PDB file of all heavy atoms in Angstrom:
ATOM      1  N   ILE A   1    -117.362 -24.012 -93.443  1.00  0.00           N
ATOM      2  CA  ILE A   1    -117.087 -25.450 -93.377  1.00  0.00           C
ATOM      3  C   ILE A   1    -116.695 -25.985 -94.754  1.00  0.00           C
ATOM      4  O   ILE A   1    -115.817 -26.843 -94.885  1.00  0.00           O
ATOM      5  CB  ILE A   1    -118.314 -26.202 -92.830  1.00  0.00           C
ATOM      6  CG1 ILE A   1    -118.562 -25.814 -91.368  1.00  0.00           C
ATOM      7  CG2 ILE A   1    -118.134 -27.708 -92.963  1.00  0.00           C
ATOM      8  CD1 ILE A   1    -119.842 -26.379 -90.788  1.00  0.00           C
ATOM      9  N   ALA A   2    -117.333 -25.435 -95.791  1.00  0.00           N
ATOM     10  CA  ALA A   2    -117.042 -25.885 -97.157  1.00  0.00           C
ATOM     11  C   ALA A   2    -115.601 -25.589 -97.559  1.00  0.00           C
ATOM     12  O   ALA A   2    -115.057 -26.258 -98.442  1.00  0.00           O
ATOM     13  CB  ALA A   2    -118.002 -25.218 -98.140  1.00  0.00           C
ATOM     14  N   LEU A   3    -114.986 -24.606 -96.917  1.00  0.00           N
ATOM     15  CA  LEU A   3    -113.589 -24.284 -97.218  1.00  0.00           C
ATOM     16  C   LEU A   3    -112.658 -25.445 -96.879  1.00  0.00           C
ATOM     17  O   LEU A   3    -111.555 -25.536 -97.433  1.00  0.00           O
ATOM     18  CB  LEU A   3    -113.156 -23.033 -96.447  1.00  0.00           C
ATOM     19  CG  LEU A   3    -113.811 -21.704 -96.854  1.00  0.00           C
ATOM     20  CD1 LEU A   3    -113.433 -20.612 -95.869  1.00  0.00           C
ATOM     21  CD2 LEU A   3    -113.404 -21.316 -98.255  1.00  0.00           C
ATOM     22  N   MET A   4    -113.072 -26.306 -95.981  1.00  0.00           N
ATOM     23  CA  MET A   4    -112.211 -27.399 -95.534  1.00  0.00           C
ATOM     24  C   MET A   4    -112.250 -28.607 -96.464  1.00  0.00           C
ATOM     25  O   MET A   4    -111.420 -29.502 -96.350  1.00  0.00           O
ATOM     26  CB  MET A   4    -112.609 -27.846 -94.116  1.00  0.00           C
ATOM     27  CG  MET A   4    -112.487 -26.752 -93.068  1.00  0.00           C
ATOM     28  SD  MET A   4    -112.818 -27.358 -91.407  1.00  0.00           S
ATOM     29  CE  MET A   4    -114.554 -27.805 -91.542  1.00  0.00           C
ATOM     30  N   PHE A   5    -113.205 -28.658 -97.379  1.00  0.00           N
ATOM     31  CA  PHE A   5    -113.366 -29.834 -98.232  1.00  0.00           C
ATOM     32  C   PHE A   5    -112.632 -29.647 -99.556  1.00  0.00           C
ATOM     33  O   PHE A   5    -112.799 -28.627-100.229  1.00  0.00           O
ATOM     34  CB  PHE A   5    -114.847 -30.106 -98.506  1.00  0.00           C
ATOM     35  CG  PHE A   5    -115.605 -30.616 -97.310  1.00  0.00           C
ATOM     36  CD1 PHE A   5    -116.237 -29.738 -96.442  1.00  0.00           C
ATOM     37  CD2 PHE A   5    -115.661 -31.973 -97.048  1.00  0.00           C
ATOM     38  CE1 PHE A   5    -116.932 -30.205 -95.343  1.00  0.00           C
ATOM     39  CE2 PHE A   5    -116.358 -32.455 -95.941  1.00  0.00           C
ATOM     40  CZ  PHE A   5    -116.986 -31.568 -95.090  1.00  0.00           C
ATOM     41  N   VAL A   6    -111.848 -30.615 -99.931  1.00  0.00           N
ATOM     42  CA  VAL A   6    -111.204 -30.624-101.240  1.00  0.00           C
ATOM     43  C   VAL A   6    -112.186 -31.209-102.253  1.00  0.00           C
ATOM     44  O   VAL A   6    -113.119 -31.940-101.872  1.00  0.00           O
ATOM     45  CB  VAL A   6    -109.900 -31.451-101.206  1.00  0.00           C
ATOM     46  CG1 VAL A   6    -108.886 -30.805-100.288  1.00  0.00           C
ATOM     47  CG2 VAL A   6    -110.177 -32.884-100.769  1.00  0.00           C
ATOM     48  N   PRO A   7    -112.021 -30.919-103.550  1.00  0.00           N
ATOM     49  CA  PRO A   7    -112.975 -31.436-104.550  1.00  0.00           C
ATOM     50  C   PRO A   7    -113.144 -32.947-104.521  1.00  0.00           C
ATOM     51  O   PRO A   7    -114.237 -33.465-104.757  1.00  0.00           O
ATOM     52  CB  PRO A   7    -112.351 -30.968-105.869  1.00  0.00           C
ATOM     53  CG  PRO A   7    -111.578 -29.744-105.510  1.00  0.00           C
ATOM     54  CD  PRO A   7    -111.040 -30.000-104.136  1.00  0.00           C
ATOM     55  N   THR A   8    -112.075 -33.672-104.208  1.00  0.00           N
ATOM     56  CA  THR A   8    -112.163 -35.133-104.196  1.00  0.00           C
ATOM     57  C   THR A   8    -113.150 -35.630-103.147  1.00  0.00           C
ATOM     58  O   THR A   8    -113.830 -36.654-103.343  1.00  0.00           O
ATOM     59  CB  THR A   8    -110.771 -35.741-103.917  1.00  0.00           C
ATOM     60  OG1 THR A   8    -109.838 -35.214-104.852  1.00  0.00           O
ATOM     61  CG2 THR A   8    -110.801 -37.247-104.024  1.00  0.00           C
ATOM     62  N   ALA A   9    -113.273 -34.906-102.036  1.00  0.00           N
ATOM     63  CA  ALA A   9    -114.156 -35.338-100.944  1.00  0.00           C
ATOM     64  C   ALA A   9    -115.630 -35.253-101.321  1.00  0.00           C
ATOM     65  O   ALA A   9    -116.460 -35.958-100.746  1.00  0.00           O
ATOM     66  CB  ALA A   9    -113.885 -34.502 -99.697  1.00  0.00           C
ATOM     67  N   VAL A  10    -115.960 -34.392-102.278  1.00  0.00           N
ATOM     68  CA  VAL A  10    -117.367 -34.226-102.668  1.00  0.00           C
ATOM     69  C   VAL A  10    -117.608 -34.764-104.080  1.00  0.00           C
ATOM     70  O   VAL A  10    -118.609 -34.428-104.707  1.00  0.00           O
ATOM     71  CB  VAL A  10    -117.780 -32.741-102.596  1.00  0.00           C
ATOM     72  CG1 VAL A  10    -117.732 -32.247-101.167  1.00  0.00           C
ATOM     73  CG2 VAL A  10    -116.889 -31.874-103.474  1.00  0.00           C
ATOM     74  N   LEU A  11    -116.696 -35.578-104.568  1.00  0.00           N
ATOM     75  CA  LEU A  11    -116.813 -36.092-105.933  1.00  0.00           C
ATOM     76  C   LEU A  11    -118.068 -36.948-106.115  1.00  0.00           C
ATOM     77  O   LEU A  11    -118.827 -36.769-107.081  1.00  0.00           O
ATOM     78  CB  LEU A  11    -115.568 -36.905-106.288  1.00  0.00           C
ATOM     79  CG  LEU A  11    -115.519 -37.489-107.703  1.00  0.00           C
ATOM     80  CD1 LEU A  11    -115.598 -36.373-108.736  1.00  0.00           C
ATOM     81  CD2 LEU A  11    -114.248 -38.303-107.895  1.00  0.00           C
ATOM     82  N   ILE A  12    -118.311 -37.869-105.174  1.00  0.00           N
ATOM     83  CA  ILE A  12    -119.477 -38.754-105.298  1.00  0.00           C
ATOM     84  C   ILE A  12    -120.790 -37.977-105.169  1.00  0.00           C
ATOM     85  O   ILE A  12    -121.701 -38.164-105.999  1.00  0.00           O
ATOM     86  CB  ILE A  12    -119.393 -39.897-104.272  1.00  0.00           C
ATOM     87  CG1 ILE A  12    -118.191 -40.797-104.599  1.00  0.00           C
ATOM     88  CG2 ILE A  12    -120.682 -40.711-104.253  1.00  0.00           C
ATOM     89  CD1 ILE A  12    -117.971 -41.925-103.604  1.00  0.00           C
ATOM     90  N   PRO A  13    -120.963 -37.104-104.159  1.00  0.00           N
ATOM     91  CA  PRO A  13    -122.209 -36.319-104.106  1.00  0.00           C
ATOM     92  C   PRO A  13    -122.434 -35.468-105.361  1.00  0.00           C
ATOM     93  O   PRO A  13    -123.565 -35.360-105.837  1.00  0.00           O
ATOM     94  CB  PRO A  13    -122.006 -35.433-102.869  1.00  0.00           C
ATOM     95  CG  PRO A  13    -121.045 -36.187-102.022  1.00  0.00           C
ATOM     96  CD  PRO A  13    -120.123 -36.874-102.967  1.00  0.00           C
ATOM     97  N   ARG A  14    -121.367 -34.893-105.889  1.00  0.00           N
ATOM     98  CA  ARG A  14    -121.514 -34.107-107.117  1.00  0.00           C
ATOM     99  C   ARG A  14    -122.004 -34.977-108.271  1.00  0.00           C
ATOM    100  O   ARG A  14    -122.885 -34.584-109.035  1.00  0.00           O
ATOM    101  CB  ARG A  14    -120.185 -33.451-107.492  1.00  0.00           C
ATOM    102  CG  ARG A  14    -119.881 -32.163-106.749  1.00  0.00           C
ATOM    103  CD  ARG A  14    -118.597 -31.553-107.269  1.00  0.00           C
ATOM    104  NE  ARG A  14    -118.335 -30.263-106.660  1.00  0.00           N
ATOM    105  CZ  ARG A  14    -117.265 -29.514-106.925  1.00  0.00           C
ATOM    106  NH1 ARG A  14    -116.351 -29.948-107.782  1.00  0.00           N
ATOM    107  NH2 ARG A  14    -117.092 -28.345-106.336  1.00  0.00           N
ATOM    108  N   TYR A  15    -121.412 -36.158-108.390  1.00  0.00           N
ATOM    109  CA  TYR A  15    -121.818 -37.046-109.483  1.00  0.00           C
ATOM    110  C   TYR A  15    -123.286 -37.436-109.338  1.00  0.00           C
ATOM    111  O   TYR A  15    -124.027 -37.476-110.335  1.00  0.00           O
ATOM    112  CB  TYR A  15    -120.930 -38.293-109.506  1.00  0.00           C
ATOM    113  CG  TYR A  15    -121.332 -39.274-110.576  1.00  0.00           C
ATOM    114  CD1 TYR A  15    -120.924 -39.093-111.891  1.00  0.00           C
ATOM    115  CD2 TYR A  15    -122.151 -40.364-110.277  1.00  0.00           C
ATOM    116  CE1 TYR A  15    -121.312 -39.980-112.882  1.00  0.00           C
ATOM    117  CE2 TYR A  15    -122.546 -41.253-111.256  1.00  0.00           C
ATOM    118  CZ  TYR A  15    -122.122 -41.065-112.560  1.00  0.00           C
ATOM    119  OH  TYR A  15    -122.506 -41.920-113.545  1.00  0.00           O
ATOM    120  N   LEU A  16    -123.719 -37.747-108.122  1.00  0.00           N
ATOM    121  CA  LEU A  16    -125.107 -38.135-107.907  1.00  0.00           C
ATOM    122  C   LEU A  16    -126.061 -37.000-108.256  1.00  0.00           C
ATOM    123  O   LEU A  16    -127.125 -37.229-108.842  1.00  0.00           O
ATOM    124  CB  LEU A  16    -125.301 -38.565-106.446  1.00  0.00           C
ATOM    125  CG  LEU A  16    -124.583 -39.852-106.027  1.00  0.00           C
ATOM    126  CD1 LEU A  16    -124.769 -40.108-104.538  1.00  0.00           C
ATOM    127  CD2 LEU A  16    -125.076 -41.043-106.840  1.00  0.00           C
ATOM    128  N   VAL A  17    -125.672 -35.762-107.904  1.00  0.00           N
ATOM    129  CA  VAL A  17    -126.521 -34.609-108.232  1.00  0.00           C
ATOM    130  C   VAL A  17    -126.617 -34.435-109.746  1.00  0.00           C
ATOM    131  O   VAL A  17    -127.713 -34.253-110.301  1.00  0.00           O
ATOM    132  CB  VAL A  17    -125.968 -33.331-107.568  1.00  0.00           C
ATOM    133  CG1 VAL A  17    -126.701 -32.102-108.089  1.00  0.00           C
ATOM    134  CG2 VAL A  17    -126.105 -33.414-106.056  1.00  0.00           C
ATOM    135  N   ILE A  18    -125.472 -34.473-110.416  1.00  0.00           N
ATOM    136  CA  ILE A  18    -125.463 -34.305-111.872  1.00  0.00           C
ATOM    137  C   ILE A  18    -126.256 -35.421-112.548  1.00  0.00           C
ATOM    138  O   ILE A  18    -127.027 -35.182-113.495  1.00  0.00           O
ATOM    139  CB  ILE A  18    -124.013 -34.288-112.396  1.00  0.00           C
ATOM    140  CG1 ILE A  18    -123.266 -33.053-111.888  1.00  0.00           C
ATOM    141  CG2 ILE A  18    -123.988 -34.322-113.918  1.00  0.00           C
ATOM    142  CD1 ILE A  18    -123.836 -31.744-112.361  1.00  0.00           C
ATOM    143  N   CYS A  19    -126.090 -36.638-112.049  1.00  0.00           N
ATOM    144  CA  CYS A  19    -126.798 -37.779-112.636  1.00  0.00           C
ATOM    145  C   CYS A  19    -128.307 -37.655-112.430  1.00  0.00           C
ATOM    146  O   CYS A  19    -129.097 -37.888-113.357  1.00  0.00           O
ATOM    147  CB  CYS A  19    -126.274 -39.075-112.026  1.00  0.00           C
ATOM    148  SG  CYS A  19    -126.948 -40.581-112.779  1.00  0.00           S
ATOM    149  N   ASN A  20    -128.739 -37.285-111.229  1.00  0.00           N
ATOM    150  CA  ASN A  20    -130.174 -37.154-110.944  1.00  0.00           C
ATOM    151  C   ASN A  20    -130.814 -36.000-111.697  1.00  0.00           C
ATOM    152  O   ASN A  20    -132.020 -36.021-111.959  1.00  0.00           O
ATOM    153  CB  ASN A  20    -130.392 -36.983-109.437  1.00  0.00           C
ATOM    154  CG  ASN A  20    -130.088 -38.252-108.656  1.00  0.00           C
ATOM    155  OD1 ASN A  20    -130.243 -39.356-109.173  1.00  0.00           O
ATOM    156  ND2 ASN A  20    -129.652 -38.104-107.414  1.00  0.00           N
ATOM    157  N   LEU A  21    -130.027 -34.999-112.031  1.00  0.00           N
ATOM    158  CA  LEU A  21    -130.546 -33.880-112.818  1.00  0.00           C
ATOM    159  C   LEU A  21    -130.575 -34.188-114.317  1.00  0.00           C
ATOM    160  O   LEU A  21    -131.065 -33.381-115.106  1.00  0.00           O
ATOM    161  CB  LEU A  21    -129.695 -32.628-112.581  1.00  0.00           C
ATOM    162  CG  LEU A  21    -129.805 -31.966-111.207  1.00  0.00           C
ATOM    163  CD1 LEU A  21    -128.823 -30.809-111.092  1.00  0.00           C
ATOM    164  CD2 LEU A  21    -131.228 -31.471-110.967  1.00  0.00           C
ATOM    165  N   GLY A  22    -130.047 -35.335-114.689  1.00  0.00           N
ATOM    166  CA  GLY A  22    -130.048 -35.724-116.097  1.00  0.00           C
ATOM    167  C   GLY A  22    -129.074 -34.921-116.943  1.00  0.00           C
ATOM    168  O   GLY A  22    -129.344 -34.671-118.127  1.00  0.00           O
ATOM    169  N   LEU A  23    -127.953 -34.516-116.352  1.00  0.00           N
ATOM    170  CA  LEU A  23    -126.994 -33.661-117.067  1.00  0.00           C
ATOM    171  C   LEU A  23    -125.761 -34.417-117.557  1.00  0.00           C
ATOM    172  O   LEU A  23    -124.792 -33.786-117.975  1.00  0.00           O
ATOM    173  CB  LEU A  23    -126.559 -32.508-116.152  1.00  0.00           C
ATOM    174  CG  LEU A  23    -127.664 -31.527-115.758  1.00  0.00           C
ATOM    175  CD1 LEU A  23    -127.115 -30.456-114.829  1.00  0.00           C
ATOM    176  CD2 LEU A  23    -128.281 -30.885-117.000  1.00  0.00           C
ATOM    177  N   ILE A  24    -125.781 -35.734-117.480  1.00  0.00           N
ATOM    178  CA  ILE A  24    -124.663 -36.494-118.039  1.00  0.00           C
ATOM    179  C   ILE A  24    -124.609 -36.243-119.552  1.00  0.00           C
ATOM    180  O   ILE A  24    -125.630 -36.289-120.243  1.00  0.00           O
ATOM    181  CB  ILE A  24    -124.819 -38.002-117.754  1.00  0.00           C
ATOM    182  CG1 ILE A  24    -124.835 -38.249-116.239  1.00  0.00           C
ATOM    183  CG2 ILE A  24    -123.705 -38.794-118.414  1.00  0.00           C
ATOM    184  CD1 ILE A  24    -123.532 -37.889-115.535  1.00  0.00           C
ATOM    185  N   ASP A  25    -123.411 -35.985-120.069  1.00  0.00           N
ATOM    186  CA  ASP A  25    -123.205 -35.640-121.481  1.00  0.00           C
ATOM    187  C   ASP A  25    -123.958 -34.365-121.863  1.00  0.00           C
ATOM    188  O   ASP A  25    -124.458 -34.234-122.988  1.00  0.00           O
ATOM    189  CB  ASP A  25    -123.635 -36.787-122.395  1.00  0.00           C
ATOM    190  CG  ASP A  25    -122.596 -37.897-122.469  1.00  0.00           C
ATOM    191  OD1 ASP A  25    -121.419 -37.641-122.116  1.00  0.00           O
ATOM    192  OD2 ASP A  25    -122.947 -39.016-122.862  1.00  0.00           O
ATOM    193  N   ASN A  26    -124.026 -33.436-120.923  1.00  0.00           N
ATOM    194  CA  ASN A  26    -124.628 -32.127-121.173  1.00  0.00           C
ATOM    195  C   ASN A  26    -123.595 -31.063-120.864  1.00  0.00           C
ATOM    196  O   ASN A  26    -122.838 -31.178-119.904  1.00  0.00           O
ATOM    197  CB  ASN A  26    -125.874 -31.944-120.293  1.00  0.00           C
ATOM    198  CG  ASN A  26    -126.672 -30.712-120.671  1.00  0.00           C
ATOM    199  OD1 ASN A  26    -126.172 -29.594-120.653  1.00  0.00           O
ATOM    200  ND2 ASN A  26    -127.932 -30.925-121.031  1.00  0.00           N
ATOM    201  N   ILE A  27    -123.553 -30.010-121.677  1.00  0.00           N
ATOM    202  CA  ILE A  27    -122.537 -28.970-121.504  1.00  0.00           C
ATOM    203  C   ILE A  27    -122.648 -28.297-120.145  1.00  0.00           C
ATOM    204  O   ILE A  27    -121.657 -27.809-119.579  1.00  0.00           O
ATOM    205  CB  ILE A  27    -122.648 -27.920-122.640  1.00  0.00           C
ATOM    206  CG1 ILE A  27    -121.399 -27.036-122.704  1.00  0.00           C
ATOM    207  CG2 ILE A  27    -123.908 -27.084-122.469  1.00  0.00           C
ATOM    208  CD1 ILE A  27    -120.164 -27.750-123.163  1.00  0.00           C
ATOM    209  N   TRP A  28    -123.864 -28.302-119.573  1.00  0.00           N
ATOM    210  CA  TRP A  28    -124.057 -27.661-118.269  1.00  0.00           C
ATOM    211  C   TRP A  28    -123.474 -28.478-117.122  1.00  0.00           C
ATOM    212  O   TRP A  28    -123.361 -27.993-116.005  1.00  0.00           O
ATOM    213  CB  TRP A  28    -125.535 -27.393-118.029  1.00  0.00           C
ATOM    214  CG  TRP A  28    -126.057 -26.329-118.940  1.00  0.00           C
ATOM    215  CD1 TRP A  28    -126.778 -26.507-120.075  1.00  0.00           C
ATOM    216  CD2 TRP A  28    -125.861 -24.921-118.812  1.00  0.00           C
ATOM    217  NE1 TRP A  28    -127.048 -25.292-120.664  1.00  0.00           N
ATOM    218  CE2 TRP A  28    -126.507 -24.309-119.910  1.00  0.00           C
ATOM    219  CE3 TRP A  28    -125.214 -24.126-117.878  1.00  0.00           C
ATOM    220  CZ2 TRP A  28    -126.501 -22.924-120.096  1.00  0.00           C
ATOM    221  CZ3 TRP A  28    -125.217 -22.744-118.057  1.00  0.00           C
ATOM    222  CH2 TRP A  28    -125.850 -22.166-119.152  1.00  0.00           C
ATOM    223  N   ALA A  29    -123.086 -29.717-117.400  1.00  0.00           N
ATOM    224  CA  ALA A  29    -122.397 -30.510-116.378  1.00  0.00           C
ATOM    225  C   ALA A  29    -121.020 -29.934-116.079  1.00  0.00           C
ATOM    226  O   ALA A  29    -120.451 -30.171-115.009  1.00  0.00           O
ATOM    227  CB  ALA A  29    -122.262 -31.961-116.839  1.00  0.00           C
ATOM    228  N   HIS A  30    -120.469 -29.163-117.028  1.00  0.00           N
ATOM    229  CA  HIS A  30    -119.212 -28.464-116.777  1.00  0.00           C
ATOM    230  C   HIS A  30    -119.421 -27.250-115.874  1.00  0.00           C
ATOM    231  O   HIS A  30    -118.524 -26.861-115.135  1.00  0.00           O
ATOM    232  CB  HIS A  30    -118.599 -27.974-118.100  1.00  0.00           C
ATOM    233  CG  HIS A  30    -118.098 -29.057-118.988  1.00  0.00           C
ATOM    234  ND1 HIS A  30    -116.989 -29.816-118.700  1.00  0.00           N
ATOM    235  CD2 HIS A  30    -118.559 -29.516-120.184  1.00  0.00           C
ATOM    236  CE1 HIS A  30    -116.774 -30.680-119.670  1.00  0.00           C
ATOM    237  NE2 HIS A  30    -117.716 -30.530-120.584  1.00  0.00           N
ATOM    238  N   VAL A  31    -120.602 -26.638-115.971  1.00  0.00           N
ATOM    239  CA  VAL A  31    -120.840 -25.333-115.343  1.00  0.00           C
ATOM    240  C   VAL A  31    -121.357 -25.451-113.916  1.00  0.00           C
ATOM    241  O   VAL A  31    -120.789 -24.851-112.987  1.00  0.00           O
ATOM    242  CB  VAL A  31    -121.823 -24.515-116.201  1.00  0.00           C
ATOM    243  CG1 VAL A  31    -122.132 -23.171-115.528  1.00  0.00           C
ATOM    244  CG2 VAL A  31    -121.258 -24.299-117.603  1.00  0.00           C
ATOM    245  N   LEU A  32    -122.408 -26.213-113.709  1.00  0.00           N
ATOM    246  CA  LEU A  32    -123.105 -26.221-112.419  1.00  0.00           C
ATOM    247  C   LEU A  32    -122.220 -26.600-111.227  1.00  0.00           C
ATOM    248  O   LEU A  32    -122.314 -25.961-110.174  1.00  0.00           O
ATOM    249  CB  LEU A  32    -124.322 -27.142-112.495  1.00  0.00           C
ATOM    250  CG  LEU A  32    -125.464 -26.684-113.408  1.00  0.00           C
ATOM    251  CD1 LEU A  32    -126.628 -27.671-113.348  1.00  0.00           C
ATOM    252  CD2 LEU A  32    -125.945 -25.294-113.016  1.00  0.00           C
ATOM    253  N   PRO A  33    -121.349 -27.607-111.325  1.00  0.00           N
ATOM    254  CA  PRO A  33    -120.559 -27.969-110.137  1.00  0.00           C
ATOM    255  C   PRO A  33    -119.582 -26.889-109.689  1.00  0.00           C
ATOM    256  O   PRO A  33    -119.109 -26.929-108.551  1.00  0.00           O
ATOM    257  CB  PRO A  33    -119.797 -29.225-110.592  1.00  0.00           C
ATOM    258  CG  PRO A  33    -120.587 -29.775-111.729  1.00  0.00           C
ATOM    259  CD  PRO A  33    -121.145 -28.577-112.420  1.00  0.00           C
ATOM    260  N   LEU A  34    -119.286 -25.911-110.554  1.00  0.00           N
ATOM    261  CA  LEU A  34    -118.268 -24.924-110.232  1.00  0.00           C
ATOM    262  C   LEU A  34    -118.836 -23.533-109.955  1.00  0.00           C
ATOM    263  O   LEU A  34    -118.070 -22.581-109.779  1.00  0.00           O
ATOM    264  CB  LEU A  34    -117.252 -24.826-111.384  1.00  0.00           C
ATOM    265  CG  LEU A  34    -116.544 -26.134-111.760  1.00  0.00           C
ATOM    266  CD1 LEU A  34    -115.615 -25.908-112.943  1.00  0.00           C
ATOM    267  CD2 LEU A  34    -115.766 -26.683-110.578  1.00  0.00           C
ATOM    268  N   LEU A  35    -120.145 -23.410-109.903  1.00  0.00           N
ATOM    269  CA  LEU A  35    -120.736 -22.083-109.685  1.00  0.00           C
ATOM    270  C   LEU A  35    -120.475 -21.567-108.275  1.00  0.00           C
ATOM    271  O   LEU A  35    -120.222 -20.380-108.081  1.00  0.00           O
ATOM    272  CB  LEU A  35    -122.240 -22.133-109.950  1.00  0.00           C
ATOM    273  CG  LEU A  35    -122.674 -22.265-111.409  1.00  0.00           C
ATOM    274  CD1 LEU A  35    -124.188 -22.263-111.506  1.00  0.00           C
ATOM    275  CD2 LEU A  35    -122.081 -21.149-112.261  1.00  0.00           C
ATOM    276  N   ALA A  36    -120.560 -22.443-107.288  1.00  0.00           N
ATOM    277  CA  ALA A  36    -120.344 -22.028-105.897  1.00  0.00           C
ATOM    278  C   ALA A  36    -118.877 -22.213-105.551  1.00  0.00           C
ATOM    279  O   ALA A  36    -118.336 -23.315-105.666  1.00  0.00           O
ATOM    280  CB  ALA A  36    -121.221 -22.850-104.957  1.00  0.00           C
ATOM    281  N   TYR A  37    -118.238 -21.108-105.115  1.00  0.00           N
ATOM    282  CA  TYR A  37    -116.825 -21.159-104.755  1.00  0.00           C
ATOM    283  C   TYR A  37    -116.659 -20.490-103.393  1.00  0.00           C
ATOM    284  O   TYR A  37    -116.673 -19.266-103.293  1.00  0.00           O
ATOM    285  CB  TYR A  37    -115.985 -20.461-105.816  1.00  0.00           C
ATOM    286  CG  TYR A  37    -114.517 -20.826-105.766  1.00  0.00           C
ATOM    287  CD1 TYR A  37    -114.096 -22.082-105.365  1.00  0.00           C
ATOM    288  CD2 TYR A  37    -113.546 -19.910-106.133  1.00  0.00           C
ATOM    289  CE1 TYR A  37    -112.766 -22.419-105.332  1.00  0.00           C
ATOM    290  CE2 TYR A  37    -112.195 -20.229-106.107  1.00  0.00           C
ATOM    291  CZ  TYR A  37    -111.828 -21.500-105.701  1.00  0.00           C
ATOM    292  OH  TYR A  37    -110.496 -21.837-105.658  1.00  0.00           O
TER     293      TYR A  37
END
């Protein structure tokens, strides 16, 4: 099912996850959203 979603469709959920994890302005904010492909 995830194959059908483009990155733009999950932009808001990704931002909320990164924000809740406290990774804003953290180098790992570049890494974590792209680990699952």
Side-chain angles (χ1 to χ4, degrees):
I1 294 173
L3 292 172
M4 299 185 295
F5 289 91
V6 295
T8 306
V10 295
L11 181 59
I12 295 177
R14 278 184 175 179
Y15 178 81
L16 293 176
V17 171
I18 294 297
C19 186
N20 290 330
L21 290 176
L23 295 179
I24 299 296
D25 281 341
N26 190 302
I27 195 69
W28 291 101
H30 291 290
V31 177
L32 292 182
L34 303 178
L35 288 182
Y37 198 32

